[in-house]
Amino acid sequence: MENWSWDVFLDAFPIVLQGLGITIGLTLTCYLFALIFGFVWIFLRRVPFKPLNWIVTWIMEFIRSTPPLVQLFFIYYAWPMVPGIGMTLSPFTSAVLGLGIHFSTYIGEVYRSGIDGVDKGQWEAARALNYPTGKKWTKIILPQAIPPTIPMLGNYLIIMFKEVPLASTIGVVGILHMANSYGSQYWTYLEPLTIVAILFLVLSYPSAILINKLERKMNRRFDKKEALKSSEGAIT
Amino acid sequence: MTEPIVTFKDVHKSFGDVDVLKGIDLEIKPAEKVAVIGPSGSGKTTIIRMLMTLEQPTSGDIFVGDQNLWKMEKNGEFVAANEKHLREVRGDIGMVFQHFNLFPHMTILENCMTAPIHVKKEAKKVARQRSIEMLEKVGLGDKLDNYPSQLSGGQKQRVAMARALVMRPKVMLFDEVTSALDPELVGEVLEVIRDIAKEGEMAMILVTHEMDFALDVADKVLFLDEGVIAEQGSASEVIEHSKNERLQSFLHRFRS
């Protein structure tokens, strides 16, 4: 490997690493945004008003059928030019909005599968005990609907982490951006991009293991048999 | 003359094209124990499910005390009840289900405590104390911290009864509560219902296939057939001395 230089590798490593905080921070911010916004979709789709439900379903479908990169470009470059409501957003904020909203539609689907997995009898029991709507959701339905979806939610965290480099295209200075500018400055891309790949591997793989552990812990806390049954139902 | 706690006035219910109930008139007095018997598909369960607001009647009125359950007054007119009205009126009604419907993510003590705390806004301490007493009464004082999945069917059903009783309903509905149980577990559940019935002050409506039990516990038996109340009276009148042929053949099939 005559093109490979450990000197360049060691030189580039700390520089690329400077972007890691941004990459992780953006991932977590986007994820948090998507987790919250996923509930907004579910809520809007359950409001007892059919036209609204259709519109929301259609918007979700639209967002999911459009590439996240196009959405990022739209929010960052096109949005400021929209008359009236348009405004200029920082690259980071644009990325949070773009990727967060994009993934919230998937997260919303995950929530829905979890909610559908809750037995009809649970809703009836909540009604028979005269639960008000809010408490019914927070005490009865969601505590049963969400734990079985944790592995799926975890997978989306890892997927998002791997999509976050898209934000470098609008100038968010994450590890990919750092590697690219190092590459263009010294005309050597092999080492910095290898570092990017290694960093992603080093972070994704342990996360997958961690999520697996969390899943088992949740199942233990919860009724095991029921949790397994409904998580199967949720995934299929 | 005591006012009825539950009144049905010409209540109809259809599911799609199928008319399940074709005009039910019914009065239940406070503390009265009513057994509803009849062939499957006769609409027995639908009657109590409408009272619990799990199904909406197609037409007719259901009253709890003097309040119309499914309709409320608005600008002098009766309109379909909203969730707030339903919550107000059904507060006096409790239900035990065929398939228990315990909350799997809570211990059995939490199953009992949760509604008094979150629905009736009782202090946690009080709710806990009352729940423990109720669970002891149904013979499960040693299982407080177990999860429903760790219990037998009979034990689950006794928890379900404690959970409903702790809300102090004036009317308690039992929807074929022994049908999903292994035969050897039916006895312990019926025993608890018998005890509850003896205490008196609560009205009970039992949809059941246990004829001997109905005869023993119920003040009044309704025989439901093809969507109408075909026969009603005291348990011995209906079960032992009725001339109704369809009732006779129904009972015959059950006892053979």
Side-chain angles (χ1 to χ4, degrees), chain B:
Chain B
M1 180 84 189
T2 41
E3 292 301 315
I5 179 90
V6 171
T7 312
F8 280 61
K9 283 187 179 158
D10 196 28
V11 174
H12 291 250
K13 174 69 187 175
S14 6
F15 293 102
D17 293 337
V18 187
D19 297 331
V20 179
L21 295 173
K22 305 167 188 168
I24 299 294
D25 288 285
L26 178 62
E27 278 190 0
I28 291 165
K29 298 270 186 320
E32 196 171 27
K33 321 295 179 219
V34 180
V36 184
I37 60 170
S40 53
S42 59
K44 308 183 292 283
T45 291
T46 307
I47 289 185
I48 59 174
R49 285 176 61 84
M50 288 190 302
L51 186 52
M52 193 69 262
T53 71
L54 301 174
E55 308 281 359
Q56 185 166 10
T58 312
S59 68
D61 291 301
I62 300 173
F63 293 88
V64 178
D66 57 0
Q67 278 187 294
N68 196 322
L69 178 60
W70 282 100
K71 289 174 190 163
M72 60 179 193
E73 222 175 327
K74 198 177 170 189
N75 307 328
E77 274 180 76
F78 278 98
V79 296
N82 59 16
E83 183 65 19
K84 183 169 168 268
H85 176 87
L86 291 176
R87 282 199 68 224
E88 270 171 35
V89 183
R90 71 166 168 239
D92 286 334
I93 301 169
M95 183 162 177
V96 184
F97 297 89
Q98 186 176 354
H99 296 287
F100 330 125
N101 299 347
L102 294 178
F103 303 131
H105 57 301
M106 301 179 189
T107 65
I108 70 165
L109 178 57
E110 287 164 351
N111 260 279
C112 292
M113 281 165 63
T114 178
I117 293 171
H118 296 298
V119 180
K120 292 211 155 171
K121 312 284 173 211
E122 264 179 37
K124 204 171 168 187
K125 234 174 156 179
V126 179
R128 188 186 159 84
Q129 192 51 40
R130 295 204 307 112
S131 298
I132 292 172
E133 281 164 19
M134 200 55 84
L135 284 164
E136 279 168 354
K137 199 158 128 186
V138 300
L140 292 168
D142 56 338
K143 302 263 185 216
L144 299 180
D145 295 326
N146 286 45
Y147 282 87
S149 60
Q150 300 165 313
L151 304 183
S152 74
Q155 289 170 330
K156 283 184 199 170
Q157 198 56 297
R158 285 187 277 150
V159 176
M161 281 192 269
R163 182 178 71 174
L165 284 170
V166 89
M167 292 295 277
R168 299 188 171 123
K170 290 182 185 154
V171 185
M172 180 87 132
L173 313 175
F174 297 81
D175 183 13
E176 304 196 28
V177 293
T178 56
S179 299
L181 299 178
D182 293 333
E184 74 271 18
L185 301 176
V186 170
E188 61 185 76
V189 171
L190 294 185
E191 205 49 53
V192 173
I193 301 177
R194 242 181 223 117
D195 288 345
I196 302 169
K198 267 184 217 145
E199 284 179 17
E201 67 263 42
M202 189 173 66
M204 292 163 58
I205 307 179
L206 306 114
V207 171
T208 183
H209 287 133
E210 307 282 337
M211 294 308 147
D212 296 326
F213 173 71
L215 187 63
D216 183 25
V217 170
D219 306 315
K220 182 154 98 180
V221 173
L222 308 177
F223 174 60
L224 209 66
D225 188 34
E226 299 192 319
V228 295
I229 297 173
E231 190 82 23
Q232 62 176 311
S234 75
S236 67
E237 275 166 19
V238 172
I239 295 183
E240 297 188 325
H241 303 113
S242 168
K243 301 279 188 296
N244 184 313
E245 266 176 43
R246 288 186 59 96
L247 174 54
Q248 285 305 329
S249 83
F250 169 74
L251 290 173
H252 183 74
R253 255 179 295 143
F254 250 89
R255 289 184 159 165
S256 54

Side-chain angles (χ1 to χ4, degrees), chain A residues 182-234:
Chain A
Y182 187 93
S184 59
Q185 199 179 340
Y186 300 100
W187 209 243
T188 168
Y189 285 94
L190 179 60
E191 295 84 358
L193 286 177
T194 304
I195 293 166
V196 171
I198 290 171
L199 287 176
F200 272 103
L201 176 73
V202 164
L203 284 165
S204 298
Y205 188 65
S207 308
I209 293 172
L210 206 75
I211 284 158
N212 212 321
K213 272 200 174 143
L214 185 68
E215 177 192 355
R216 266 177 293 174
K217 197 176 157 194
M218 292 306 285
N219 280 355
R220 254 203 311 278
R221 193 197 140 244
F222 194 48
D223 168 7
K224 282 171 228 161
K225 271 187 233 149
E226 293 288 332
L228 283 175
K229 211 171 60 193
S230 42
S231 76
E232 278 163 21

Side-chain angles (χ1 to χ4, degrees), chain A residues 114 118-119 122 140-148 222 230, chain B residues 102-105:
Chain A
V118 176
D119 185 59
Q122 297 292 309
I140 310 294
I141 303 302
L142 291 180
Q144 297 185 62
I146 299 306
F222 194 48
S230 42
Chain B
L102 294 178
F103 303 131
H105 57 301

